Structures are given as C-alpha cells and as structure tokens.
Amino acid sequence: MSGTGRLTATLGARTQHVVYGDPGPAEIRRELGFTTTIDLAHVVMLTERGLLPAPAAAALLDRIGRLRATGFAELLDEPAPRGLYLMYESHLVAELGADIGGKLHTGRSRNDIKATITAMRLRSELADLLGQLLRLQAVLLSRARAHRQTVMPIYTHFQPAMPITYGYYLAGIAVALDRDVDALRHTLAGLGRCPLGAGAVAGTDLPIDPARTAALLGFDGPPLHAVDAVASRDGVLRALAAISGAGLTLSRLATDLQLWSTQEFAFIAFPERLVGGSSAMPQKRNAFLLEHVKAKAGVALGAWTAAAATMKSTPFTNSIEVGTEAVGPAWGALHTVTESVLLAQVLVSGARPEPERMARRADEGFVTATILANRLVREGVPFRTAHHVVGAAVREAVEAGATELRLPPGTPGAERASLPPLGEVVAEHDRGGGPGMFDTAFATTRARLAEHADWLRGHRERLDAARHELLTSVAKLMGGTEQAARSGGARDD
C-alpha cells in the first residue's frame, strides 16, 4: 500500500532515509514491540465496545502474536517508504484483508500511538535507571558506614579546609542523589495518562473506551485533553532534566575521586581491574573510568538543550519537531547516564581509602584552625580576634616547618583551648549537618532509599498486573489460555 487515497506517490529513497532513517533489526523489534502491545490492548477494547467483530479480533490477535513470537522476522527486510507503522499495518491488511487488517486503526491515529509509545518507552527506561540509582545509593551508604571513622580533610577552593571522614563524604553524595532520585520518581509518576484515544488531535466521535485501553497498558487513566496529549512531550524534558542532575552529581563525585587518587594526594587507591595503563609510559595507573563518568553528564545536558531548543516556539499541536526530532536525543542520553551510574557503582565499591595518608594531610593542612578559634570563642574571645590569633599561629607554624599550632602566650583561655585527637574533633561537629551528625544523615537517607525502593516495586507490580490483565483478555478473545497468549508473543516490552 504505497498511497493514501489522496496521495499516490511516496518519498524518494534518499529522502526516505533522511526522514525515517535506516532502522536495524533491534530498533525495528523495539518499535514494533511497543506498537503491537498497544494493538493488543486496542483490539481488546474495540471488541468489548462492539466496534470489532470477535472473529476479526481473534484473527488480528493471532497474526500479531505470531509476528511477536518470531521477533517480527517477516518484517525486518520489508521496505517502509512511509515509516515502520504503516509498513506493519500494510502487512496486516495484505495477510488478513482490508475487512480485518483495515479495522485495526479504528478510533486512533499515528499521533496518539506515537505519543503512547514515547510514554511507554520512557517509563520503562526511567524505571530501569531509577533502580540502578537506588543500587548506587545503597553502595554509597554501605561504604559510608564502613568508613565513618576514616578521617580526612575536606577541601574548599582546592585547599584543605576542615576535618571530616571519608564515610561522611560518601553519605553526602548519597544525600545529593536522593534529590535526583526524587526528580526521576516525580517524572515517572507524571507519565500516568495514556495518550491513546486522543486520535489525530481532537479525540474521536466513535464510542471507544480510552480508560480501558489505558488500564490494559498500565496507565492511571486516559487523556484529559486530546491536543495536550499529542502536542506535549514535556515528560521527555523533565526526564532529561532529572538525568542531567544525576549525571552532574556523579561527575562531581568522579572529579573528587580522580583528584584524590593522584600520587600527589594518594587518598584513594583503585584495584587493577578499575584502572588502565599507558601504551607508552609503563609506570602509569590511570583511573580512566572516572573520566567516562565525568564526560557522560555532558550527553544528558546536550540532549536536554537540543530537545528544549527544538520544541521552542513550535505550535501547540501534533508536530514533527516535538514528537520526533526533539525526542530523538533522549534515548541515547538515558542510555549514557545509565552507563555512568553502572560505572559509579563499581568505582565507589572498589575505591580503597588510605587512612594514614588522609590523616597526615589533615594535620599538615591545619584543618583544625577553625576549631581552635572556636575554642577561644568558648572562652569569651570575640571570633574575629580568635580568627586573627589562630591565623598568626598558622603563619608561624608554616614558617617553622611545623604542623602543631601554638597560641601566643597570654592569649585569653589558651590553656583551656587544647584540642582532643582528630577523630574526637570531627565527632564534635554535631550541628548544622556536620560529620558528628553522621547517624542522622545516614538513617534519613537509608529510610528514603527504602521508601523509593518500595515505590518502584509498587510501580512495577502495577505494570505486571496490567500486563496480566492484558494477557488474560487477549486469551479470552482468542478462545485459549493466558499461557497461549503469552507464547503467542504478548511478551514484556
């Protein structure tokens, strides 16, 4: 079927390639997998509404199931001058006749189908990414608990600033990731309305039941507004913003770990399985995986920028700019950030701190200077005065090549301002979210992690329940069992 009734010609081969690409087998299977899942639900709904005779429905379901069972092998080499969907529909018409194959498209459009495919694929990939982020949080919290007593300096402006612990630092990354996880979860929850039923742009006058189709596909409900359903891809923008945030958080973690793993710092060591050598310099141990983590955030940022710029100033209706061109970069970005998360999991679990080196640098960096000034404040010395006094003590220690700070004789309260061991100093920072509040931060973040995991589990269970209902409904129309429907290709997508 090369024409449309009104049109009798198709695009030339080169133009077809530009517009529709040259999808390989994997891409065809993925696209038609989503398409035919929608078709199964649509056929069930049409039949229940009396818009499709039961024998025609059974024939359609049987043919669609056979295609799915073989991975669409019959269609992999078929020409698609007007895109995959119309090639697939033409196949059904050719195999089953217009009286059966031609009825599948009743009450819908490529516009609402495409918007539904985008939503289904997005929720699938976001759920997978969310699951991996939660695993990363679990790794961070596990390592944080193991190294909650490993003292190290924290840096500001690349200069040693205050004493913390390595475990406290890792817990901070887990806290930051919680907000990224929350953003992803919010985006995933926002994909609750199924666009199917919106038709081309204004719904339909046919007595379809979009709520039934939405339920069979695992959505919370049908479209609220048809134009919005086919015009909007803001879920894609929110997803890209959320994964950009996660990528940025991981890039900052990777920057610190790379810096701390240099010979100059030597705070962190990675096992040989996580480093690379040099083709020319035999002494090198390059923590190169961290550079991948740092760089991958840029892909997500670029995808968001490209999608937003492409959507900008487009008419609020179905649009190729929005539905195709703007969405295109999102899938690669999702894949790239997922890779970044997977790398971060093994890097965080594999990193080994060097406690002696960390503690020595804390001493050499005078990171207790502010604590010493605060001790003087407790004795009634104005902070600014204490700041100047301790600053002078630091200068004298540096000039003398010493690491111990000595207050000038006669400093008020100096005899009571001595500091305990460094580990105790760190523990005393128990206000304002300091390392002395490790237990609070750890417990709160772990509870949030459990809450997110429960939510994701519930989300997946709802999709499984919808899938079971779809299989049962398909089997009923085919006069067989759910297992027969499943073997016929109603697989998970």
Side-chain angles (χ1 to χ4, degrees), residues 281-320:
M281 297 166 282
Q283 83 281 8
K284 298 294 292 297
R285 288 181 95 257
N286 299 324
F288 74 103
L289 295 179
L290 292 165
E291 296 180 39
H292 285 286
V293 176
K294 289 162 59 180
K296 288 180 185 298
V299 175
L301 286 169
W304 184 92
T305 303
T310 304
M311 291 185 192
K312 176 189 173 295
S313 301
T314 56
F316 192 70
T317 183
N318 180 68
S319 166
I320 295 295

Side-chain angles (χ1 to χ4, degrees), residues 25 81 115 137 177 185 303 358 361 437:
Q137 270 196 304
L177 275 180
R185 176 175 157 180
M358 287 175 163
R361 283 300 299 135
M437 295 181 65

Side-chain angles (χ1 to χ4, degrees), residues 192-230:
R193 288 196 176 272
C194 178
L196 206 66
V201 73
T204 179
D205 58 341
L206 291 170
I208 64 172
D209 185 2
R212 173 63 166 157
T213 315
L216 290 173
L217 294 175
F219 289 93
D220 299 331
L224 181 64
H225 190 285
V227 175
D228 174 63
V230 298

Side-chain angles (χ1 to χ4, degrees), residues 223-247:
L224 181 64
H225 190 285
V227 175
D228 174 63
V230 298
S232 299
R233 297 297 189 276
D234 48 296
V236 172
L237 282 181
R238 282 195 295 273
L240 290 172
I243 69 172
S244 293

Side-chain angles (χ1 to χ4, degrees), residues 151-233:
V151 176
M152 65 173 288
I154 189 66
Y155 291 77
T156 62
H157 309 289
F158 292 97
Q159 301 299 322
M162 299 281 286
I164 61 166
T165 69
Y166 180 59
Y168 172 73
Y169 170 84
L170 293 178
I173 299 296
V175 169
L177 275 180
D178 177 68
R179 293 188 295 276
D180 298 323
V181 166
D182 205 43
L184 273 177
R185 176 175 157 180
H186 178 76
T187 301
L188 194 52
L191 297 171
R193 288 196 176 272
C194 178
L196 206 66
V201 73
T204 179
D205 58 341
L206 291 170
I208 64 172
D209 185 2
R212 173 63 166 157
T213 315
L216 290 173
L217 294 175
F219 289 93
D220 299 331
L224 181 64
H225 190 285
V227 175
D228 174 63
V230 298
S232 299
R233 297 297 189 276

Side-chain angles (χ1 to χ4, degrees), residues 43-69:
V43 168
V44 169
M45 182 275 294
L46 289 178
T47 308
E48 292 174 349
R49 297 295 292 173
L51 293 169
L52 185 65
L60 277 167
L61 293 173
D62 178 70
R63 186 59 192 153
I64 292 169
R66 291 176 185 277
L67 287 172
R68 288 162 66 92

Side-chain angles (χ1 to χ4, degrees), residues 450 452-462:
H452 291 313
D454 286 343
W455 184 90
L456 181 59
R457 188 179 305 110
H459 170 80
R460 286 173 166 160
E461 287 173 353
R462 287 190 297 274

